[in-house]
Amino acid sequence: GAQSHHQAHPKALAMLRIAAVRAGQRCRLGVVAPPTLTLTKRTSFWDPKQFLKYSDRPAAKQLLADFERGHWECFNERLRCPDGKIVPSVLQVQPREEENKFPELSSPSKNLKGEVVDLADRFKSSSATLLLVSEDRLFNLNEMVNSWTFALSDELPIYELVLRGKVLGALIAPLFHMQLRSMTQETNHPFILTNYGKIKPLKQKLNVVNKVVPYVFLVDSQGYIRWRSMGKATEEEIQFLKKVLADLQEAKAAKGKKA
């Protein structure tokens, strides 16, 4: 009976799957990794019979992913949560485990001055680095980004990483960079990086879901993500980060004395 009901209403079944994925994305940020769909070439299946026939194929899964996470959904979340706190952060340091290792980028990143920047090397140069990752950076994110940089710029290095599509993103890169330079302070240009590699696997590993909200990662000198958040900084988060930074610096100093 249940099977025939699903066959009669394939779009309802699709929406149930979408709801299940969305529920998974509401797991505690940075503690439980959400389930993800395999992203492949998009094909549309509006005919119910065709959808049922090919529902297990990657292209059908891509259609579900498109339903579940398009710009419209991202904008709606942003409207519901003006501060970008779609998922609240957990004020708890993550352990140094392989699953918390910051993933390798598939291509070099360049800052707004045109210089190649190796993030892995930058992580090693400090006991901790704050990295803000976003996709649609031109969508008024300055207030959220500045809430972190203004409060913590004297405490640790802060970089932005803007993810762009490999093909279309590279084609419009000069125009995008010009717009991004015009809306950000020139002194910050060496620390704003763009990457035109394979961004979908990276977004899945980092759980970067909303295109119009910055995701915040505290990465230690060994390249492990020790804490994460999103949206605009709160006073509690800033104070928590300052304490974590003091602990990391103390641990690094103690390690240096032993060496």
Side-chain angles (χ1 to χ4, degrees):
Q3 185 176 1
S4 62
H5 177 74
H6 287 165
Q7 289 179 346
H9 304 282
K11 289 185 180 179
L13 175 60
M15 295 310 294
L16 284 173
R17 292 180 183 174
I18 291 167
V21 173
R22 185 172 294 134
Q25 288 167 344
R26 297 298 187 270
C27 295
R28 288 183 299 158
L29 187 66
V31 178
V32 180
T36 54
L37 293 175
T38 302
L39 301 180
T40 56
K41 186 177 179 181
R42 178 181 176 181
T43 305
S44 106
F45 293 91
W46 290 113
D47 185 311
K49 292 181 180 178
Q50 290 296 308
F51 187 89
L52 285 171
K53 183 177 179 181
Y54 300 112
S55 61
D56 292 331
R57 292 194 178 183
K61 293 180 181 179
Q62 175 62 57
L63 180 62
L64 289 176
D66 286 351
F67 276 143
E68 198 276 327
R69 187 52 56 179
H71 266 87
W72 182 247
E73 172 66 19
C74 295
F75 290 144
N76 276 340
E77 284 188 338
R78 176 74 184 268
L79 288 173
R80 291 195 301 268
C81 306
D83 61 356
K85 294 294 186 191
I86 299 164
V87 181
S89 65
V90 178
L91 299 183
Q92 177 180 335
V93 176
Q94 296 180 181
R96 283 195 179 111
E97 295 177 349
E98 194 59 33
E99 63 182 18
N100 292 330
K101 191 83 171 178
F102 192 87
E104 280 189 44
L105 302 178
S106 64
S107 65
S109 300
K110 289 186 177 182
N111 62 23
L112 292 186
K113 296 182 70 176
E115 303 164 333
V116 175
V117 176
D118 187 336
L119 271 176
D121 282 347
R122 299 300 169 95
F123 292 155
K124 295 175 185 176
S125 65
S126 178
S127 58
T129 301
L130 198 68
L131 183 65
L132 284 74
V133 179
S134 62
E135 188 172 356
D136 199 344
R137 181 60 175 84
L138 299 182
F139 184 85
N140 194 18
L141 302 185
N142 279 347
E143 183 180 356
M144 294 185 186
V145 170
N146 291 343
S147 69
W148 299 95
T149 57
F150 289 174
L152 296 167
S153 58
D154 293 334
E155 306 286 338
L156 79 169
I158 302 176
Y159 289 88
E160 282 192 66
L161 177 63
V162 183
L163 305 177
R164 305 294 295 167
K166 188 174 183 181
V167 180
L168 181 60
L171 288 175
I172 64 172
L175 177 61
F176 177 78
H177 287 179
M178 181 178 69
Q179 289 179 300
L180 193 51
R181 281 193 292 266
S182 69
M183 62 186 291
T184 53
Q185 294 184 359
E186 187 175 355
T187 52
N188 293 335
H189 292 175
F191 308 100
I192 301 175
L193 318 179
T194 56
N195 189 280
Y196 293 90
K198 298 177 181 179
I199 66 172
K200 285 181 180 178
L202 182 64
K203 287 172 60 181
Q204 289 180 349
K205 289 178 181 177
L206 293 176
N207 190 19
V208 172
V209 179
N210 191 296
K211 303 174 191 294
V212 293
V213 171
Y215 288 74
V216 184
F217 301 91
L218 182 70
V219 186
D220 69 13
S221 59
Q222 298 182 40
Y224 289 96
I225 299 171
R226 307 305 301 275
W227 183 76
R228 62 184 77 196
S229 183
M230 64 190 303
K232 189 176 180 179
T234 65
E235 183 60 29
E236 291 78 12
E237 288 175 320
I238 296 300
Q239 294 306 317
F240 170 77
L241 276 178
K242 288 183 177 181
K243 182 181 184 305
V244 172
L245 289 173
D247 293 343
L248 288 174
Q249 290 167 356
E250 185 178 337
K252 186 176 182 181
K255 187 176 179 180
K257 288 181 180 179
K258 290 181 180 179

